[in-house]
Amino acid sequence: MSVPLGPGSRAAALRRLAEQEFDVLVVGGGVVGAGAALDAVSRGLSVALVEARDLAAGTSSRSSKLIHGGLRYLERLDFRLVREALRERGLLVTRLAPHLVTPVPFLLPLRHRVWERGYVGAGVLLYDTLGGARVLPRHRQLSLGGALRKAPGLRRDALVGGIQYYDAQVDDARFTMMLARTAAEYGASVTTRTRVTGFLRDGGRVTGARVLDLEDGAETEVRARQVVNATGVWTDEIQRLAGASGATVSVRASKGVHVVVPRERIRLDTGLILRTEKSVLFVIPWGPHWIVGTTDTPWDLDKGEPAPTRADIDYILGHVNAVLRSPLTHDDIEGVYAGLRPLVGGPGSETVKLSREHAVIRPEPGLVIVAGGKYTTYRVMAEDAVDMAVTGLGQAVPASVTDRVPILGASGFEAVRNNRRRLADRSGLPVARIEHLLGRYGSCVEELLELVEAAPSLGEPIPGAEGYLKAEAVYAVSHEGALHLEDVMVRRTRIFMEERDRGLAAAPEVAALVARVLGWDAATVEREVAAYRANVQADLAAQRETDDAAANAVRLAAVARSA
């Protein structure tokens, strides 16, 4: 049985924040922060992680859902970055998280008959081998006929052939949450809705932080020998809050927008990668859907809820429709989401030219800042940040072991998956449903099925979001740290981006299910549903605007009304 992140464990973690001095306090519950917490606690250090909103509430739930080496970085001759990312991809697929990170094929269409096949083929061959031991299938050269058999939905005049290669995909929000749960499993104190409002100091040294519990308004002074700032696009704000007087790092935000469309609308048996004038566009399989994106534009407005615009959506549709036999329309769109990439660089640079590599600095004693990077290389970033933090502890600390520590749900996964028919017979659920659950919970699926055995009605699909069981909503708050309806709808499940109504029909049922665990009364249930509805309506309204400023204003107005 795993250690749950539920209401009881949160209360215990908050008490520890007030009573204990930690070796390391990590600020930020995205993938790098969760990774840093796991890295530090698995070295034998005492660790606390505080997150102002929810685990993965920012960038780490709004990516392209890919674990990849960055094929396009080879064109920039950034072999070190690609090699590092491919090594991490291999670890995740084979050892650390095979239940969450899975291979997916991609077709790269070719437009020129001779030079492009040799040029791109050489790059993909390098991509196959740079990461060390090969763990995914090698690429294949395809003729026009072969490419169209893989992708019959492409226009015949859009390509002269293709190359098929493999990368991997992940549910980014679930991976981040499972990473944080793994850290908690080893003893880290993990709390969400706990915002850092200031830093503690002893002379010129940072010795902890003041933390506000947004659920009850209580403020706690958390003492720590080292503080790691892993707040992504909020890095500059935390640096200013800390009053860092030494060297600092500048992080700029780039907005990336994706749309979600039904699987049947694009006839492909493979993912797709298309070159654009600025970057690349992916068409990524996602269960019964496709994720299509992304954009790459500077963003200097509200970082909490970056808003996709009509112009963003038109950009994506225009580029993908250039190669599709049956063009997509706005009516085909089931979901839209926008995220911010934290890019390390100086003012005046275009975001697409800023470095995707990460930076780790110590602006003053007791404070370490880690910023930039890619989702795929989160573990390396976390290791580097903790390496720097331990130099300030004045004691011998073991080296990182996270390249050998499986993420929760990975241990025993293969054996549990091989017994999926037995699990189906025991639970009364279809084998296909068990396979879906295994891809979300890994070997922890046994805990979910125990909920169904205790209350068989939890084995029913959620009305309005039939891809999920009622038990999954309950498990999200009893084991996975969700505290609000939005946490369940947007991140523990992906109902918000997968359902055409953004989950409005399912929201009342989900709120009623989680109320029993979280102790909500009828008024709280109504308030949570109303807040979720307002968030959806604001998102849809923003998507009708044509520019960032107008879309951002719509989002901020909605936040003000719901406050």
Side-chain angles (χ1 to χ4, degrees):
M1 295 289 289
S2 67
V3 175
L5 284 184
S9 64
R10 182 179 189 272
L14 287 170
R15 285 194 298 272
R16 289 195 295 274
L17 292 186
E19 298 169 357
Q20 181 178 344
E21 181 183 36
F22 296 90
D23 293 322
V24 177
L25 169 63
V26 179
V27 181
V31 70
V32 176
L38 176 57
D39 189 283
V41 77
S42 62
R43 299 190 195 201
L45 301 174
S46 59
V47 178
L49 182 151
V50 294
E51 160 57 40
R53 296 194 295 169
D54 182 30
L55 296 169
T59 302
S60 295
S61 62
R62 309 178 191 208
S63 72
S64 296
K65 324 299 184 199
L66 293 177
I67 298 294
H68 66 121
L71 184 61
R72 64 194 175 101
Y73 297 126
L74 288 178
E75 286 193 89
R76 304 177 191 175
L77 305 181
D78 200 342
F79 301 120
R80 191 198 64 79
L81 177 61
V82 175
R83 181 185 296 108
E84 180 178 80
L86 290 175
R87 177 180 180 273
E88 294 302 308
R89 184 192 70 178
L91 286 172
L92 289 165
V93 168
T94 61
R95 182 190 303 170
L96 303 184
H99 56 312
L100 299 172
V101 181
T102 54
V104 60
F106 282 94
L107 176 68
L108 199 165
L110 300 175
R111 299 298 303 270
H112 305 279
R113 294 190 179 279
V114 180
W115 70 266
E116 189 180 20
R117 185 177 293 279
Y119 175 70
V120 176
V124 178
L125 177 62
L126 195 59
Y127 197 69
D128 282 342
T129 57
L130 261 181
R134 180 165 53 89
V135 297
L136 299 184
R138 296 181 70 88
H139 79 279
R140 291 179 55 207
Q141 296 274 358
L142 299 175
S143 65
L144 174 59
L148 290 176
R149 281 191 291 274
K150 295 281 185 184
L154 297 185
R155 288 172 31 194
R156 193 176 184 87
D157 63 352
L159 69 167
V160 298
I163 296 176
Q164 182 155 68
Y165 72 98
Y166 280 77
D167 257 320
Q169 69 177 163
V170 66
D171 184 328
D172 49 5
R174 288 200 61 77
F175 182 92
T176 300
M177 177 273 298
M178 292 291 252
L179 198 58
R181 284 190 66 192
T182 308
E185 193 87 4
Y186 286 99
S189 297
V190 177
T191 58
T192 60
R193 312 287 172 181
T194 43
R195 177 185 297 157
V196 170
T197 59
F199 287 85
L200 307 180
R201 288 180 170 275
D202 183 0
R205 182 181 187 84
V206 173
T207 58
R210 287 186 296 277
V211 175
L212 177 67
D213 182 355
L214 299 179
E215 296 298 291
D216 65 7
E219 191 169 62
T220 300
E221 290 193 348
V222 183
R223 292 168 296 124
R225 299 169 67 194
Q226 294 287 312
V227 176
V228 174
N229 172 14
T231 52
V233 294
W234 285 274
T235 296
D236 291 3
E237 287 84 346
I238 297 297
Q239 285 180 148
R240 286 194 292 271
L241 189 64
S245 56
T248 58
V249 60
S250 174
V251 175
R252 295 185 61 192
S254 168
K255 184 176 71 167
V257 176
H258 297 78
V259 303
V260 182
V261 300
R263 192 69 175 262
E264 63 268 17
R265 276 299 288 114
I266 306 178
R267 293 183 60 208
L268 298 175
D269 297 324
T270 174
L272 190 67
I273 177 172
L274 303 171
R275 291 170 175 267
T276 70
E277 66 277 8
K278 289 185 177 181
S279 182
V280 294
L281 191 82
F282 288 102
V283 180
I284 305 159
W286 184 261
H289 317 273
W290 294 104
I291 294 175
V292 187
T294 180
T295 61
D296 192 346
T297 54
W299 180 266
D300 57 5
L301 302 169
D302 179 60
K303 295 176 180 177
E305 292 294 337
T309 66
R310 175 100 182 185
D312 294 324
I313 297 169
D314 287 343
Y315 172 88
I316 293 170
L317 294 183
H319 279 82
V320 74
N321 284 342
V323 301
L324 295 181
R325 293 176 61 185
S326 177
L328 299 172
T329 70
H330 283 267
D331 291 338
D332 292 315
I333 294 174
E334 297 172 301
V336 182
Y337 66 91
L340 299 178
R341 304 178 191 89
L343 304 178
V344 178
S349 304
E350 292 182 29
T351 61
V352 293
K353 294 180 181 177
L354 295 178
S355 172
R356 296 306 303 276
E357 295 189 57
H358 65 274
V360 179
I361 65 169
R362 187 198 304 278
E364 52 194 10
L367 178 63
V368 172
I369 296 173
V370 55
K374 304 168 72 234
Y375 195 103
T376 303
T377 56
Y378 82 89
R379 196 195 63 79
V380 177
M381 296 173 65
E383 178 180 342
D384 288 350
V386 176
D387 279 347
M388 181 168 285
V390 299
T391 63
L393 292 177
Q395 67 187 64
V397 176
S400 176
V401 296
T402 52
D403 61 342
R404 303 183 297 283
V405 176
I407 305 306
L408 190 67
S411 296
F413 169 63
E414 298 291 344
V416 175
R417 184 172 62 182
N418 289 341
N419 280 279
R420 57 190 177 275
R421 294 190 182 279
R422 177 185 59 80
L423 293 176
D425 291 342
R426 191 185 92 194
S427 64
L429 297 172
V431 173
R433 176 74 74 172
I434 295 295
E435 290 175 340
H436 173 74
L437 294 175
L438 283 166
R440 288 172 50 74
Y441 304 92
S443 55
C444 292
V445 73
E446 299 271 8
E447 297 174 346
L448 189 84
L449 296 180
E450 286 174 4
L451 294 178
V452 176
E453 289 175 1
S457 65
L458 294 181
E460 300 170 358
I462 297 173
E466 284 74 14
Y468 298 92
L469 299 180
K470 293 178 179 179
E472 296 186 75
V474 173
Y475 190 83
V477 293
S478 66
H479 285 70
E480 296 180 341
L483 296 177
H484 291 276
L485 179 60
E486 178 199 341
D487 302 342
V488 180
M489 302 291 286
V490 179
R491 287 172 291 276
R492 301 308 183 277
T493 68
R494 308 318 290 264
I495 294 172
F496 172 77
M497 63 177 260
E498 293 173 347
E499 295 296 328
R500 191 172 289 275
D501 71 345
R502 306 321 196 252
L504 290 178
E509 176 72 24
V510 172
L513 287 165
V514 305
R516 303 165 195 170
V517 180
L518 295 175
W520 291 351
D521 57 18
T524 304
V525 169
E526 184 177 341
R527 189 164 58 249
E528 289 280 332
V529 173
Y532 181 75
R533 184 182 300 114
N535 183 56
V536 169
Q537 291 170 346
D539 213 54
L540 293 173
Q543 291 166 31
R544 292 191 287 270
E545 302 294 338
T546 57
D547 64 88
D548 285 345
N552 184 65
V554 168
R555 291 289 309 159
L556 290 180
V559 171
R561 286 194 299 271
S562 62

